[in-house]
Amino acid sequence: ESLFNVEDRIGGDSELSPRGHAFARSLAAFMQTRRTEEPITVWTSALKRTIQTAQYLREEPISNRALDEIDAGVCDGLTYSEVRRRHPEEFAARSKDKLNYRYPRGESYADVIQRLDPVIIEIERHERPILIVGHQGVLRALYAYLMDTPPRECPHLPMPLHTVLELTPNAYGCTERRFPLAC
Ligand code: G3H
């Protein structure tokens, strides 16, 4: 949880909230219990909140701009009610087609899905477990790809805060486990 999450603001590059820091510590403790023979690779975005979430892990995180949250363009830093009030047409257009709607001077979910192509190639050829400390929009897109969810559903997938989603490849796709951590 970032300070922007607390205020219900989208985008930005805010720091973690106290609860976000508590989660970061729980995550480090949790990862100790999931330790495997193979070393784990840790990826974050280039934004403070994911870098701070990974700060207590034993592994050295690699930050990647391709994992940054959907760019909300002119709506960056606003709350959803401010978007509705200041940009009513944008708010309505996004509610109609959240997959293809592109924020003015920003991105759509379809753009994010495309931007993540090289990340997906890297995930698929990686042989070790990867921990991705990400953002709601980006994690939705990665999850939809790995779980073979239709793109139209991607922008609406539940992606709870303070939860580790473990996806393990199997013969048909991935097995999923969710671990909500105390914080
Ligand atoms: O900052 C934006 C959110 O993480 C993505 O939320 O696409 O459901 O508005 P949304």
Side-chain angles (χ1 to χ4, degrees), residues 135-137 139-141 143-144 156-161 163 165 178:
H135 304 273
Q136 182 168 234
L139 292 176
R140 281 175 173 154
Y143 179 94
H156 306 280
L157 291 170
M159 200 50 66
L161 276 178
T163 305
L165 273 69
R178 289 188 179 219

Side-chain angles (χ1 to χ4, degrees), residues 5 9-12 49 69-70 72 80 94 98 103 109 135-138 140 155-156:
N5 285 143
R9 290 189 188 283
I10 55 179
R49 54 200 187 272
E69 184 53 306
I70 185 167
Y80 288 104
R94 191 166 200 252
K98 201 174 170 191
Y103 284 106
Y109 269 89
H135 304 273
Q136 182 168 234
V138 160
R140 281 175 173 154
H156 306 280

